[in-house]
Amino acid sequence: MQQIHPTAIVEDGAVLGENVKIGPYCMVGPKVTLGDDVELVSHAVIAGRTTIGARSKIFPFASIGHQPQDLKYAGEDTLLEIGEDNQIREHTTMNPGTAGGGGVTRVGNGCLFMMGTHVGHDCLVGNGVIMANNATLAGHVEVEDHVIFGGLSAVRQWCRVGAHSIIGGLTGVEFDVIPYGSVIGDRARLAGLNLIGLKRRNFSREEIHALRGAYKEIFNGEEGTLRSRADAARTNYAGFDGVQTMTKFMLDDEKRSFCTPRKSGE
């Protein structure tokens, strides 16, 4: 049974699943689809061609699906797809895609977007991602699964952020972040591996030891280039999935740049 507050506006054409709750002063546009058990607490606005998966909850003053913050946008009918079991807190903004970026912004399942977070146009966000207060993603950012963003962090357009990595508070990310990495700084520097996150997600002692060895080989080594050392680590740790994930991320596209550790004296 749907529960729609009398002050809410649900436009003709909107598709509502079972047990949807729409609180006071919410607005739901005509191209919106809300899955089963979705709840809009109050004063939330869902616009555009937006789909929100089952059991997601959206808090007051969130602005979801309005046109991208991109001057090239010309009114094309693009998409915002949000998965299941997400929590989208107060004042969060999420924009749909653009014709020049693939036409879709996509958010996975089980994510937490705290107050004031922003997901820009054409972003691809994985599962289990946590964005703390006022963390922001510019357009075209790719975020893999189980990444944590500290408060007031920001990611530049077109960057990739690898799985299980952590971005420190107040950190500005200009280059790709390796899977399992930990970065911090006004311009992000790699500070090591996200060891606490790996332990929390039950990575084995052997897998963590291999990742630490590969990290030292790649980022602390002095011979060859960063990519040649990553290629060597891929071979040296052939039996470890985590190392293979990290090195594949680094070697798939030779044009990418990465956050690296701060050099001595910097």
Side-chain angles (χ1 to χ4, degrees):
M1 180 179 177
Q2 298 165 355
Q3 300 179 37
I4 303 175
H5 193 274
T7 61
I9 297 175
V10 179
E11 297 192 48
D12 292 342
V15 177
L16 308 183
E18 296 292 328
N19 302 314
V20 166
K21 297 179 181 178
I22 300 178
Y25 300 102
C26 292
M27 296 185 66
V28 180
K31 299 179 181 179
V32 170
T33 299
L34 303 181
D36 295 346
D37 301 298
V38 166
E39 180 179 358
L40 311 183
V41 176
S42 74
H43 297 84
V45 181
I46 318 299
R49 191 174 294 280
T50 297
T51 300
I52 300 176
R55 298 173 301 281
S56 292
K57 188 173 183 178
I58 300 180
F59 286 77
F61 304 106
S63 175
I64 307 299
H66 282 97
Q67 73 176 55
Q69 300 176 92
D70 183 344
L71 293 175
K72 299 185 298 298
Y73 180 73
E76 53 266 28
D77 193 21
T78 52
L79 306 176
L80 171 60
E81 298 177 354
I82 299 172
E84 300 178 347
D85 300 300
N86 292 295
Q87 292 191 55
I88 300 174
R89 297 304 304 251
E90 297 83 354
H91 299 282
T92 291
T93 56
M94 296 184 180
N95 297 149
T98 63
V104 61
T105 300
R106 184 174 292 116
V107 173
N109 303 319
C111 300
L112 170 59
F113 299 91
M114 298 187 195
M115 185 275 295
T117 52
H118 174 66
V119 177
H121 61 84
D122 303 295
C123 286
L124 302 176
V125 178
N127 302 314
V129 171
I130 297 174
M131 295 183 68
N133 293 357
N134 296 298
T136 58
L137 306 178
H140 311 282
V141 172
E142 296 183 26
V143 179
E144 296 183 349
D145 294 346
H146 302 296
V147 176
I148 297 175
F149 295 87
L152 296 162
S153 58
V155 183
R156 184 179 65 85
Q157 62 267 30
W158 299 104
C159 284
R160 298 180 302 157
V161 183
H164 301 280
S165 58
I166 185 167
I167 314 301
L170 295 169
T171 295
V173 178
E174 292 184 297
F175 305 111
D176 291 3
V177 178
I178 61 169
Y180 320 108
S182 172
V183 299
I184 194 168
D186 59 349
R187 289 296 181 266
R189 290 289 192 171
L190 194 59
L193 294 171
N194 182 18
L195 296 175
I196 293 175
L198 294 173
K199 292 173 182 177
R200 285 175 176 171
R201 296 187 185 104
N202 298 315
F203 280 67
S204 69
R205 182 187 300 269
E206 293 76 16
E207 192 74 47
I208 293 173
H209 182 74
L211 280 165
R212 294 181 72 174
Y215 178 93
K216 290 179 181 178
E217 184 174 323
I218 295 168
F219 293 103
N220 295 347
E222 296 182 355
E223 295 184 3
T225 65
L226 186 70
R227 293 183 188 280
S228 68
R229 295 195 297 270
D231 193 37
R234 178 170 59 179
T235 300
N236 295 339
Y237 294 90
F240 295 93
D241 291 342
V243 176
Q244 297 305 304
T245 296
M246 182 169 67
T247 54
K248 183 177 186 297
F249 184 92
M250 298 182 69
L251 295 169
D252 269 358
D253 186 346
E254 63 182 18
K255 296 181 180 179
R256 308 297 301 194
S257 297
F258 301 93
C259 294
T260 56
R262 191 177 299 278
K263 297 178 180 179
S264 178
E266 290 187 338

